[in-house]
Amino acid sequence: DAQSHSIFSYHLPSSQIGKMPESEILKNYIKNGDVVGICVSGGLDSKTVALRLRLAGVKVKCFTADIGQPDEEDINDIVTKMAPCGVETIIVDLKNEIAEAAMEAVACKASYDG
């Protein structure tokens, strides 16, 4: 097929768009109009899963947790990274919750082996 659609760095022939094999679970999500929530990082795996679900006809809502991770200069970049997939991405601020959990772990004398 000479016509193709660019998806990230991949090119799918237009004859393949929407014709990927579907599981019974996906078919039920589509039939019921269910919204599927997935946790995403904005990386290749997240984009692939979100796009695959959307192309299958599933309504997708993406979430990422802001726990103050030092490797994310701007947590909102994840929304930008997920945008080409055509899905809504919501940042959930969990910094207070992770801090409370860390304090509880310290109070319980938890240790980290990594």
Side-chain angles (χ1 to χ4, degrees):
D1 187 282
Q3 194 177 22
S4 65
H5 299 272
S6 176
I7 302 171
F8 315 116
S9 60
Y10 305 103
H11 296 279
L12 293 177
S14 59
S15 61
Q16 294 299 310
I17 301 289
K19 294 186 180 180
M20 296 179 225
E22 293 179 8
S23 70
E24 288 302 313
I25 294 170
L26 285 182
K27 289 178 185 175
N28 284 331
Y29 289 153
I30 296 164
K31 181 179 86 176
N32 297 332
D34 294 333
V35 177
V36 175
I38 59 174
C39 297
V40 299
S41 66
L44 181 60
D45 291 345
S46 297
K47 292 176 184 178
T48 301
V49 170
L51 183 63
R52 168 65 181 97
L53 289 170
R54 188 182 64 77
L55 289 177
V58 177
K59 296 174 187 172
V60 180
K61 195 170 278 196
C62 300
F63 300 90
T64 195
D66 180 1
I67 57 172
Q69 48 272 57
D71 60 332
E72 290 293 339
E73 287 184 29
D74 183 356
I75 195 76
N76 293 304
D77 287 346
I78 294 173
V79 174
T80 304
K81 291 175 186 177
M82 294 302 296
C85 300
V87 294
E88 178 184 6
T89 303
I90 299 167
I91 306 294
V92 181
D93 185 350
L94 296 175
K95 290 188 289 292
N96 288 335
E97 288 82 352
I98 200 73
E100 287 176 26
M103 290 287 108
E104 288 178 21
V106 169
C108 294
K109 298 184 181 177
S111 63
Y112 176 65
D113 294 332

